[in-house]
Amino acid sequence: MRLRTSLAAAGLAAALVLSGCAAGGGDQNTGDSGQPGAALTIAKPDGAITTESHNPYLGDSSASKYGYAKVIFEPLALVNPTGDLGTTPWLAESVEWNDDYTQLTVVPRSGVKWSDGTDFTGEDIVFTFDQYLNGTLADTGALNYTGATVDGDKITLSFKNSKYTAQARVLHTPIVPKHIWENIDDPNTDPLTGDGLAVGTGPYVLDSWTTESVTLTANPDYWGGELAVPELHYVSYGDNAALTTALVSGDADWAQAFIPQIESSYLSADEDNQFLVSPTAGAGTLFMNLQTKPFNNVALRQALAWTIDRQAYVDIAREGASAPVWSVTGLGDVLSSEILPEYQGQNYSVDVDKAKQILTDAGYTWKDEKLIDPDGEAVSFSISVPAGWSDWNTEQALIAEELDEALGIEVKVDQPDWGGWDAARQEGTFQAIIHWLEDTGNAYGMYTSTMDPKWIVDDKAQFNFGRFDDPKVTEALNTYANASSDDERQAALAVMQKAFVDTVPAIPLGSHPLLGEFNTRNYVGWPSEDDQYASADPTQPGIVQVLTKLKPAE
């Protein structure tokens, strides 16, 4: 038990401290009065970002890598990935989906101006989406937009298929100014570095760009009102260690990073330093290769589900920055409303006796304290996570220890480089991996990620790495995604949920949260554990909402 005893005390203490700090992070300033009008420095640990590009549609643009695109170009609405998972109209005064989610009707917000002084209108919304229709902008998000109709002040955007499971993808589309973008030859590649091109409706405008930092200043004509923070600086550090040093010294104010030993390395350095963990619908999940031994036997998967300690994952591997997923449905607390009545309260626990009984009933035995399968072979497998993913590397060791001590299973820890791991997960040549889920903001994300054959194309998997395949479940997944009524969706959910409970195609460990480090020296109004109106992750679309809520500390 050396690993568990050496890490458990520190992990549990950190978890308790993190919980307390997160809860107090919202509107409290326990230090001296802040500096009114202070800039905020937003930091990332991604190394030097050397190429200037302000295009919000390009994933490799500096605007996307730093995240400042989100404070220049705004979306129609903000979908909260945590808290109540609610939708807040933003550039649209209202958003309304039809019954089967193939049409979105929006009313453009009045009184909004682009940062160059031009009026924002519904034409800008239609133009933005029509770029996908006429082929000038690649539809990388698979929106399958088919056109728009205008009726007075209402605009209806139509899509080829239901967007029930992709509402955020539609609503978070950056809206761009027609009067500028209609003159851009190729919006798929243009860096928008020419004079007057980086024009948005957002709360901040671009002031200066260098390879060391990017500065944005408050938009004086912002439709959302006066902003407390006059200036944002975006900086990228070489790694998490350098980022942590910057946060502690005050050189950086706001970041999103997993920081090991965060209590001793960051929180204890200043009472104004805060850390917020925001659970989402996604989860860190153990995927098992269902096509090969030992995981082609459901009894073994069930036994593992009753043996693996999710709380240890949270307390030790994630140092408190997560929430355990114990429900037999695989759904975490954020999605508890989608757990069907028959499964409410049905939770896994660490119950080794139950696990052993399941195995014994299925013909497993033990020899010299090693688990022997019905074919007479010792049970062993490898679990793979890229080297350097410290939280999941720790979880590998935890699982290996738990299964060896409880069930006599040898678990080999494999830590390849990213390329080797990526190839194995796609090609199905692994035995077990830890991976994230597709987060759709509802139960569909869990079940499509673990049971949907659609993710396997040309024999390569993007999700459903275990290659689960049941036609009834596939039909239910399609029905859920395209249903025109809640009753249809519930009926489909019942099929999916039962299959997951009965077959255990994967084992969720803990919520895959959004993280945010920030300080309350100069500003209050941040999201908190008690008020998760948004996450505290500055790379998310909700950053604009956070910036409009910040007020000077007193």
Side-chain angles (χ1 to χ4, degrees), residues 62-75:
S62 58
S64 296
K65 288 182 176 179
Y66 276 116
Y68 64 82
K70 291 181 174 63
V71 301
I72 296 176
F73 302 96
E74 295 185 299

Side-chain angles (χ1 to χ4, degrees), residues 3 25 106 116 155 159 173 176 183 192 197 199 258 267 297 327 352 364 366 395 404 414 421 551:
L3 176 69
V106 303
D116 64 0
I155 298 171
F159 303 89
T173 299
V176 296
N183 298 314
L192 301 188
L197 293 185
V199 171
F258 179 78
L267 292 173
N297 191 321
S327 172
V352 175
Y364 287 80
W366 280 264
E395 179 60 13
D404 178 38
D414 178 35
W421 181 77
K551 304 296 179 188

